[in-house]
Amino acid sequence: MQKFIIEGGKRIRGEVDAQGAKNSALPLLAAALLARGETVLYNCPRLSDVYAACRILGCLGCECRVLGNTVTVRADDPCGCCVPDELMREMRSSIVFLGALLGRTGECYLSFPGGCELGPRPIDLHLAALRKMGAAITETHGMLRCCCAGGLRGAGIQLSFPSVGATENVMLAAVLAQGTTVITNAAREPEIADLAGYLVRCGAKISGAGSDTIIIEGVSQLRGCEYTVMPDRIAVCTLMSAAAVTGGELSIRGARPQDIGAVIPVFEQMGCGVYAYSDRLFITRNRPLAAVGTVRTMPYPGFPTDAQATTMAALALARGTSIVVENIFENRFRHVDELVRMGAQIKTEGRVAVIDGVNRLYGAKVQAADLRGGAALAVAALAAEGTTELGGVKYIDRGYEELERCLSALGADITRSS
Ligand code: EPZ
C-alpha cells in the first residue's frame, strides 16, 4: 500500500491551477454514453475514479481514449448494458451510469452499489424516480436488473432530498425520454449545471439546472461535442486549508469563488484573507487561526460536506472551540481518530464534532479511510511538527491529481513511497 511521507512545518505558497472537478467529470463521462459521435472532455482530472469510469464505458462498447487531461469518447453504438461488479465495487458513483444506460439502450444490469466509507449509500431516490419514468427494476441477489422496453417517458419527479446523484440520474434518463420531465427539489450543486451545460451542447433541452426545479424536454438524439470540465471546488477548498494551516499564501488559478460561497466566510472567520477574482482565488493567513463557532454541512449552496474534513484539519489548530455538524452523511468523521493521534483535541457524538484547537500537531503514522478524510490528514501533516506517514493513498488518488506533486511544487516536503 502506497503512503505519503510528509515533513511538516513548510509554508504552502505560490500559484497553482485548480484541477478539473471529479464530481463533474464522472457524470459527464456517463452522459457521453447518450451522445452519438465523438465527445471530447477537456480539463478532465487524472484520477483513478475517472479511469474506472472510462473502463466502464469500454465495457459498454464505447471507445474511450485518455490523453493527459483530455478524454475522448465515441458512443456510436453501445453494445453492452452490464456494468461489471468489480467496477461497481471500485467506484460506488458508477450508479450514475444507470440513467444513461436506460436512456440510451433501454436496459441495464449492475450490482447494487454497497455502502462505502461514509456509511450506507442508499439509492432509493434513484430507483423510485426511474420507475416513475417507466423503468422496470428488480433487485435480486445484489443485482439490479433494469429495463424499459418501450423507452422511458417524462414524469414529474419530486425528490424528498436534493440528492446530487439522483438528480443526475434523472437528467441522464430524461434527455432522450418521450415527453417532459420536471425535477422538483433538485440538487443545486454547480456540478449539476456543468452536466446540463454538456447535455444542452449535445442537443438536449434543459432549463433550470442549478435551481431546485429542472425541466427536461426529451429529444430523439444527442450528438457528441467538445466540453471543458469545471474546476474542482473541493480541491480548491483543500488547498485553502493547506495554506491556512501552514501560514502560507496561495493563488489558485481557475478557481470559481461563486462555487464555494459558503466556505470563504469560514476561512475569513478563521483569520485568513480571501480575495476572490473572476478567474482565481487568493488566500493568505495573516494572524493565528481562530475558532469559528459552528460549521454545518448542507446541500448546496450550504457548506459542502466534501470540505468538512479538510476544514476540520485547519480548525484543529485554531484557537478556541469550533463545532462541526455533518448533516449529509452518517459516518463522515473517520478522520477524527487519526487527527487525534496527531495531537488534535476533537470529540464526536453522532453527527457532531467538537474541536478544541491546539497550538501544535505532531507527525504520526496515520491511515486514510476515505478520500476527503485522507486529504484532511495530509493537510494536518503539512503543519505538524515532525514526520507523518500517511497510509491509504489509494483513497486520495481517487479525487486528487498527484497531490504530492501539487503540494511539493508549493513548498511542501512530501513524497510518495510504496
Ligand atoms: C455526490 O454523492 C458526490 N459524489 C459526493 O462526493 C458528495 O459528498 C455528495 O454528492 C453530496 O454533495 C459524486 O458526485 C461522485 P447524494 P451522492 O445523493 O450523489 C442520501 C466526494 O468525496 N441519499 O447527494 O452519492 C445519501 O445517503 C464524494 O467527492 C438517499 O438517502 O450524494 C446521503 O446521506 C463523497 N437516497 C445524502 O442523500 C438516495 O437515493 C446525500 O447523497 C440517494 C442519496
Side-chain angles (χ1 to χ4, degrees), residues 32-49:
L33 183 60
L34 290 160
R36 294 175 187 284
E38 187 168 87
T39 283
V40 183
L41 293 179
Y42 300 110
N43 198 34
C44 222
R46 288 170 281 117
L47 304 170
S48 54
D49 272 8

Side-chain angles (χ1 to χ4, degrees), residues 125-134 152-160 166 170-171 174 177-186 212-217:
L125 301 179
H126 299 242
L127 302 184
L130 294 171
R131 284 180 170 124
K132 194 163 183 195
M133 296 175 72
L152 291 167
R153 56 180 185 275
I157 306 294
Q158 162 72 33
L159 292 176
S160 58
V170 175
M171 290 168 71
Q178 295 139 34
T180 300
T181 298
V182 180
I183 310 172
T184 44
N185 197 27
D212 62 3
T213 302
I214 302 175
I215 300 172
I216 303 126
E217 194 182 325

Side-chain angles (χ1 to χ4, degrees), residues 22-23 121-125 163-165 306 328 332 372:
K22 165 183 84 83
N23 291 347
R121 300 288 293 275
I123 56 169
D124 54 310
L125 301 179
S163 155
V164 173
D306 294 345
I328 306 295
R332 202 167 199 175
R372 307 302 177 183

Side-chain angles (χ1 to χ4, degrees), residues 177-377:
Q178 295 139 34
T180 300
T181 298
V182 180
I183 310 172
T184 44
N185 197 27
R188 296 162 55 188
E189 273 73 0
E191 291 77 14
I192 300 291
D194 214 31
L195 176 60
Y198 164 76
L199 290 168
V200 165
R201 191 173 297 178
C202 290
K205 291 181 179 171
I206 302 173
S207 60
S211 78
D212 62 3
T213 302
I214 302 175
I215 300 172
I216 303 126
E217 194 182 325
V219 295
S220 57
Q221 191 178 98
L222 297 179
R223 298 289 314 167
C225 69
E226 297 189 10
Y227 195 76
T228 299
V229 179
M230 66 175 272
D232 192 314
R233 58 196 174 100
I234 304 305
V236 169
C237 294
T238 304
L239 289 167
M240 290 169 71
S241 289
V245 294
T246 59
E249 57 181 38
L250 263 185
S251 174
I252 309 172
R253 291 187 296 255
R256 293 190 327 196
Q258 66 272 29
D259 291 348
I260 51 172
V263 177
I264 291 173
V266 171
F267 279 80
E268 288 173 331
Q269 289 166 38
M270 255 194 257
C272 296
V274 184
Y275 308 95
Y277 304 94
S278 60
D279 66 341
R280 72 180 57 220
L281 179 134
F282 183 77
I283 181 168
T284 181
R285 198 242 294 173
N286 31 37
R287 59 183 170 82
L289 288 178
V292 298
T294 300
V295 176
R296 291 178 181 82
T297 65
M298 297 296 281
Y300 191 88
F303 192 95
T305 174
D306 294 345
Q308 177 256 105
T310 49
T311 304
M312 185 188 286
L315 293 173
L317 283 165
R319 287 184 184 164
T321 300
S322 306
I323 294 174
V324 169
V325 184
E326 173 53 61
N327 290 311
I328 306 295
F329 288 106
E330 206 169 86
N331 181 24
R332 202 167 199 175
F333 285 150
R334 299 179 69 186
H335 46 283
V336 169
D337 288 348
E338 299 303 287
L339 288 172
V340 168
R341 199 186 281 260
M342 298 175 74
Q345 288 186 7
I346 306 172
K347 289 186 177 53
T348 62
E349 180 74 35
R351 290 176 180 248
V352 178
V354 179
I355 302 115
D356 288 319
V358 294
N359 291 329
R360 62 177 55 81
L361 294 174
Y362 301 92
K365 287 191 177 181
V366 290
Q367 189 68 24
D370 59 69
L371 163 56
R372 307 302 177 183
L377 296 174

